[in-house]
Amino acid sequence: QVQLVESGGGLVQAGGSLRLSCSASGRTFSNYAMGWFRQAPGKEREFVASISRSGSNTASLVSVKGRFTISRDNAKNTVYLQMNSLKPEDTAVYYCAASRNTLATMAGDFGSWGQGTQVTVSS
């Protein structure tokens, strides 16, 4: 399995921006589609965005379209989530995940997960 480590979370005011990073090791990064999920207190984990192995295709949650952008740098074994115009409802632990599928959006399709990074958006 691939090992994943997220970074970049923190506390930000509503309307602000954060960029999350996820560094991968242990396997060939470009063989994996990558995704971001989040889990707020008392809620189930939900899909946020994913990107295909080459980076040519992406998918995202409707509520983050136009605000969040997923990207990857296969040379650096890293996937990013640029989050703009943050809202208090974006507050959650954000998880990076890797899938052997070409492109995936379901949690069950992701076999490797990071430990998560906390994002808190104050109003």
Side-chain angles (χ1 to χ4, degrees):
Q1 290 191 351
V2 61
Q3 287 76 48
L4 304 171
V5 178
E6 302 98 333
S7 61
L11 173 64
V12 63
Q13 288 188 332
S17 298
L18 283 174
R19 188 175 82 154
L20 305 183
S21 299
C22 173
S23 178
S25 62
R27 291 291 187 269
T28 303
F29 182 64
S30 58
N31 285 346
Y32 293 84
M34 300 298 296
W36 288 96
F37 289 75
R38 66 187 181 187
Q39 187 166 19
K43 295 186 177 181
E44 294 187 355
R45 189 171 299 188
E46 68 173 352
F47 167 79
V48 176
S50 62
I51 188 166
S52 61
R53 298 171 184 173
S54 67
S56 58
N57 293 296
T58 63
S60 61
L61 183 68
V62 171
S63 63
V64 307
K65 283 185 184 295
R67 300 190 298 123
F68 292 10
T69 302
I70 188 171
S71 62
R72 67 189 295 162
D73 186 337
N74 285 348
K76 294 183 178 180
N77 292 350
T78 303
V79 61
Y80 305 97
L81 185 67
Q82 177 67 45
M83 305 186 294
N84 300 327
S85 302
L86 282 161
K87 304 175 181 180
E89 51 264 43
D90 295 319
T91 295
V93 177
Y94 282 72
Y95 297 90
C96 172
S99 171
R100 293 304 303 266
N101 292 7
T102 302
L103 183 66
T105 61
M106 303 294 291
D109 291 332
F110 290 83
S112 299
W113 294 81
Q115 82 290 348
T117 185
Q118 176 70 47
V119 171
T120 303
V121 184
S122 63
S123 57

